[in-house]
Amino acid sequence: MIYELTATDSRSSARAGIITTDHGTIETPIFMPVGTVGSVKAVTQQQLKTEIKAEIILGNTYHLYLRPGTDIIEQAGGLHRFNGWDKPILTDSGGYQVFSLSNNRKLKEEGAMFQSHIDGSKHLFTPENVIDIQRSIGADIIMAFDECPPYPSEYDYAKKSMELTHRWLARCVKRMDETEPKYGHRQFLFPIVQGSTYKDLRKTSAEFIASMECEGNAIGGLSVGEPEEMMYEMAALCCEYLPTDKPRYLMGVGTPWNILENIALGIDMFDCVMPTRNGRNGMLFTSNGVINIKNKKWANDFSPVDEGIDCPTSNFYTKAYLRHLFVAGEVLGLQIASVHNLAFYLHLVKQARAHILQGDFAAWKEQMIPQLKQRL
Amino acid sequence: MIYELTATDSRSSARAGIITTDHGTIETPIFMPVGTVGSVKAVTQQQLKTEIKAEIILGNTYHLYLRPGTDIIEQAGGLHRFNGWDKPILTDSGGYQVFSLSNNRKLKEEGAMFQSHIDGSKHLFTPENVIDIQRSIGADIIMAFDECPPYPSEYDYAKKSMELTHRWLARCVKRMDETEPKYGHRQFLFPIVQGSTYKDLRKTSAEFIASMECEGNAIGGLSVGEPEEMMYEMAALCCEYLPTDKPRYLMGVGTPWNILENIALGIDMFDCVMPTRNGRNGMLFTSNGVINIKNKKWANDFSPVDEGIDCPTSNFYTKAYLRHLFVAGEVLGLQIASVHNLAFYLHLVKQARAHILQGDFAAWKEQMIPQLKQRL
């Protein structure tokens, strides 16, 4: 077992735990910065470690397979060696990207045919080759190949899609069993619960996923446009059927308040492009609320970006300077906003963990959420 | 006097010295990273200090006047406070940018009328208000307002332009004498030798500039398209007439080999956008020569970007990873290339200084230049 449950909140389902991988331990709940093509956008590996204090980052199978390609990654000795990040890495399976980014995709029982969004070249992803690619990348946690249905989806479509995802999962598990890690460290497969926004499908899927007895489990297909309340309802339902002695990963979520609410439901792991993508557009998440740094009101605000967190970048640069960088189109603006937002997300999950251990998570969460949502 | 001459090379005119400002000392010869709008593009202030080991950076009067504007900079308490760089800053006067960037500029005895390249708004720069703006910015070294004639220029045009620059200089000096620093630290005016590529004009100009008895002197109007040999000839000629007990700043130069050749002629200070601009285009200057990192040959070269210099970024990331970042269009690529190139330039001038002090600069330079120019 890679997961150790350390504490459970008495007034919610929030949990504190530790995941152990061959690249180190991860204290949960955790947020994982997204490094799609092997680089967290506009952030250095040193900043990830020393300022953001990330414990695990994401890579993306779809992107890394297309560029630089598995041959280069294998020659490097895996993604950890290639990008210099020696802590844990999780790779998304590419299923989501095949449907959101590529062209002319065609879904078959065998897998998904698609054309690269870069050069139009044709490719086939199958449960088997997606495992093989993730073996080549060398991620510590690798995701099963799934279909992520859009929101809203018809019941019949959602059901068929879920069943396909389940059949693909069985093939992923088989391929995992038949193959070995390439770089001497262990790799763990996480399957993904689907079922759109249908309770019975989510229950069926969560039960099936749980029955596969993998080392951790993920919930996919949420935060794809459904109302927030529906996301919470589905996440809560999935948590009910997913085992408590294994980590639960809610994919692609979300805002700071989404994260706190889902922690309360029993989620342990999160990833989202929001802190970096919104950061590059000038949206900052801070201890005091949400800031649009391009707004004129910050032009002569010489207070630090955020004094409430322990991040040199957030403490050093002022709002006025950061606004100036955005208005002038300077790259340094993107860098500061990205580092700050990620540091804030990591700060938030670490605070959540401390309050779970302290026993006052639920009260703290209720007090934090209005503060986090406030528009400054 | 702000300059102390420490050593002169026996086999060339190279000098080692120290410039003292209220924001610290600068060991010369020195290269100054360009921070046009108050940010060295794609580089953090922390990287400038700890990795690049910059001793002084540039700001630009034209850009800072337009954005964020002197009101914001004054409210911040000067540029040092605004951007958090607490070491020396030099500001270019804006003369060069009025002619290279703005629209509809009109030159008059009074000054230069121009339209902003950002919003088309109309502005007038005069020797007086350019000094006032630089007082507001609070740079340690501020440049006189000059006209920089293009290459090639007719003799008559170059002569008239030089004479105008000289008259403007007298007005700059007067304005400096009439005004006070705004933030309690001293500011020193450097005048600029012009005269295009005409020896007699350069001699006249250098003599006039020297006669103003400022704390340091600059050479402008070179590296604007003339052959390299002509640049060296003009720089050598100017150095002949500029005092030896004051620093000499060659504006806008250049490649690593340009810098070593000009150090040999007696130049102490350099600035250029080349390391950052070319870096952003994938051109790296390294200990072993010039690299186009986008080239396919680096795709599986897992050696560090440059092991020959003491810069964590250059030592940590590999050529293969950096190439991947450029090919994938990742911002981190620009960051790594910019930090590396600047660290390399600073490394080079520090090495030059060490060899001047050691007494073997000329021999070292001859050995280095072919190595630096080599295309890898």
Side-chain angles (χ1 to χ4, degrees), chain B residues 62-84:
Chain B
Y62 171 88
H63 289 91
L64 291 167
Y65 161 78
L66 293 177
R67 260 188 332 213
T70 48
D71 56 332
I72 298 293
I73 295 178
E74 283 190 6
Q75 285 179 56
L79 183 57
H80 291 89
R81 298 286 294 277
F82 185 61
N83 71 3

Side-chain angles (χ1 to χ4, degrees), chain A residues 37-39 41-43 45 67-68 72 75-76 82-84 299-300 302 316-317 321 324-325 327-328 330 332 335, chain B residues 37-39 41-45 67-68 72 75-76 82-84 299-300 302 316-317 321 324-325 327-328 330 332 335:
Chain A
V37 300
S39 144
K41 288 189 194 302
V43 174
Q45 271 70 321
R67 259 187 334 212
I72 297 293
Q75 285 179 55
F82 184 61
N83 72 2
N300 62 352
F302 302 108
F316 181 81
Y317 295 101
Y321 182 59
H324 165 62
L325 296 176
V327 171
E330 289 286 291
L332 183 58
Q335 298 171 239
Chain B
V37 301
S39 144
K41 288 190 196 300
V43 175
T44 70
Q45 271 71 321
R67 260 188 332 213
I72 298 293
Q75 285 179 56
F82 185 61
N83 71 3
N300 62 353
F302 302 107
F316 181 80
Y317 295 101
Y321 183 59
H324 165 62
L325 296 176
V327 171
E330 289 286 292
L332 183 58
Q335 299 172 238

Side-chain angles (χ1 to χ4, degrees), chain A residues 278-297:
Chain A
N278 291 25
R280 293 197 302 279
N281 290 320
M283 185 178 181
L284 305 181
F285 299 101
T286 78
S287 311
N288 301 308
V290 179
I291 285 176
N292 176 355
I293 199 66
K294 294 181 192 170
N295 198 306
K296 184 128 184 59
K297 72 186 286 191

Side-chain angles (χ1 to χ4, degrees), chain A residues 231-252:
Chain A
M231 164 176 66
Y232 299 142
E233 192 183 356
M234 293 298 136
L237 192 151
C238 293
C239 286
E240 215 177 295
Y241 298 98
L242 292 175
T244 54
D245 60 353
K246 289 172 179 173
R248 302 170 182 145
Y249 163 30
L250 178 58
M251 304 180 78

Side-chain angles (χ1 to χ4, degrees), chain A residues 33-59:
Chain A
V34 178
T36 310
V37 300
S39 144
V40 176
K41 288 189 194 302
V43 174
T44 69
Q45 271 70 321
Q46 197 202 5
Q47 287 171 326
L48 273 174
K49 269 198 186 170
T50 63
E51 301 211 40
I52 295 162
K53 301 179 187 73
E55 299 187 14
I56 172 171
I57 65 171
L58 245 73

Side-chain angles (χ1 to χ4, degrees), chain B residues 174-370:
Chain B
K174 182 161 178 283
R175 189 62 156 210
M176 278 297 283
D177 291 344
E178 292 164 357
T179 55
E180 292 289 327
K182 295 194 171 176
Y183 312 110
H185 63 264
R186 290 172 302 165
Q187 297 184 282
F188 304 106
L189 176 70
F190 281 23
I192 304 170
V193 176
Q194 289 290 355
S196 187
T197 49
Y198 300 102
K199 287 188 198 177
D200 65 319
L201 297 184
R202 284 283 173 185
K203 173 172 182 291
T204 304
S205 187
E207 286 177 333
F208 178 79
I209 294 310
S211 77
M212 300 304 283
E213 298 191 339
C214 292
E215 289 282 348
N217 299 295
I219 303 167
L222 292 179
S223 200
V224 292
E226 78 284 1
E228 287 196 346
E229 286 311 315
M230 199 175 270
M231 165 177 65
Y232 299 141
E233 191 184 358
M234 293 298 137
L237 192 151
C238 293
C239 286
E240 213 178 298
Y241 297 98
L242 292 175
T244 55
D245 60 353
K246 289 171 180 175
R248 300 169 183 147
Y249 164 28
L250 179 58
M251 304 179 79
V253 174
T255 60
W257 44 98
N258 288 162
I259 286 176
L260 294 193
E261 293 291 12
N262 282 297
I263 287 174
L265 301 175
I267 301 291
D268 308 297
M269 303 164 73
F270 299 89
D271 79 286
C272 193
V273 294
M274 188 173 274
T276 41
R277 182 177 292 165
N278 292 26
R280 292 197 303 279
N281 290 321
M283 184 178 180
L284 306 181
F285 299 100
T286 79
S287 311
N288 301 310
V290 179
I291 285 177
N292 176 356
I293 199 67
K294 295 181 192 170
N295 198 307
K296 183 123 185 60
K297 72 186 285 191
W298 309 112
N300 62 353
D301 185 326
F302 302 107
S303 67
V305 169
D306 194 348
E307 284 179 297
I309 68 170
D310 175 27
C311 168
T313 291
S314 317
N315 304 158
F316 181 80
Y317 295 101
T318 66
K319 298 183 183 81
Y321 183 59
L322 183 54
R323 177 185 187 266
H324 165 62
L325 296 176
F326 268 91
V327 171
E330 289 286 292
V331 174
L332 183 58
L334 315 183
Q335 299 172 238
I336 295 170
S338 301
V339 169
H340 164 71
N341 274 354
L342 286 175
F344 181 71
Y345 268 63
L346 266 296
H347 165 85
L348 193 67
V349 294
K350 280 175 213 286
Q351 288 288 104
R353 189 174 202 276
H355 286 283
I356 294 166
L357 294 175
Q358 215 170 285
D360 63 353
F361 172 79
W364 173 78
K365 184 203 76 158
E366 290 312 314
Q367 170 220 316
M368 283 301 287
I369 283 180

Side-chain angles (χ1 to χ4, degrees), chain A residues 9 11-12 355 359-370:
Chain A
D9 188 43
R11 293 185 47 220
S12 75
H355 285 283
D360 63 353
F361 171 79
W364 173 78
K365 185 203 77 160
E366 290 312 314
Q367 171 221 315
M368 282 302 287
I369 284 181

